[in-house]
Amino acid sequence: MRLLVRWLVNAVALYVTESIVPGIHVGDFETLLVAALVIGLVNAIVRPVATFISFPLTVLTLGLFYLVLNGAMFALAARLTPGFELENFTAAVLGAIVMSVVGMLLHAVVKKRD
């Protein structure tokens, strides 16, 4: 059940992100749900490996490279999902930041209700 709630929260966070950040386009509701699922899978599978590999660069830049890494994971999810489009890498980085903040707030609200 928690996995389903997390998926729906990510879908809502992606919808809010699309509404706020220019340059992010999600086709329809079905694409939104698939994109939220792909983002979750990319974050679960690819991000730990990329974080481990890029750790020296993240330390060297005092953590700022982690923003680039988040944007890259967001862009990868967009590439893997038909109908989920990004205009440029700046939109990917901003989208990753906004989606993280909105998702964190929504998860806090959902967790508080349990």
Side-chain angles (χ1 to χ4, degrees):
M1 183 68 173
R2 287 191 325 197
L3 189 62
L4 180 63
V5 170
R6 182 177 296 266
W7 177 41
L8 292 174
V9 165
N10 282 342
V12 171
L14 182 58
Y15 177 75
V16 171
T17 301
E18 178 194 18
S19 301
I20 294 175
V21 178
I24 297 176
H25 307 286
V26 180
D28 56 356
F29 184 71
E30 182 179 316
T31 304
L32 183 78
L33 292 176
V34 171
L37 179 65
V38 171
I39 288 171
L41 290 173
V42 165
N43 286 338
I45 297 169
V46 179
R47 180 181 295 213
V49 174
T51 302
F52 180 75
I53 291 171
S54 67
F55 182 72
L57 191 55
T58 303
V59 170
L60 188 65
T61 61
L62 302 175
L64 290 177
F65 187 74
Y66 199 66
L67 294 174
V68 174
L69 185 65
N70 285 341
M73 295 301 108
F74 197 75
L76 176 62
R79 277 218 177 243
L80 294 174
T81 308
F84 178 25
E85 299 172 3
L86 299 173
E87 287 184 11
N88 51 34
F89 192 70
T90 304
V93 173
L94 290 175
I97 292 169
V98 170
M99 187 163 170
S100 295
V101 171
V102 171
M104 182 180 60
L105 293 173
L106 289 174
H107 282 296
V109 169
V110 169
K111 189 175 182 182
K112 205 173 221 184
R113 297 186 115 209
D114 286 343

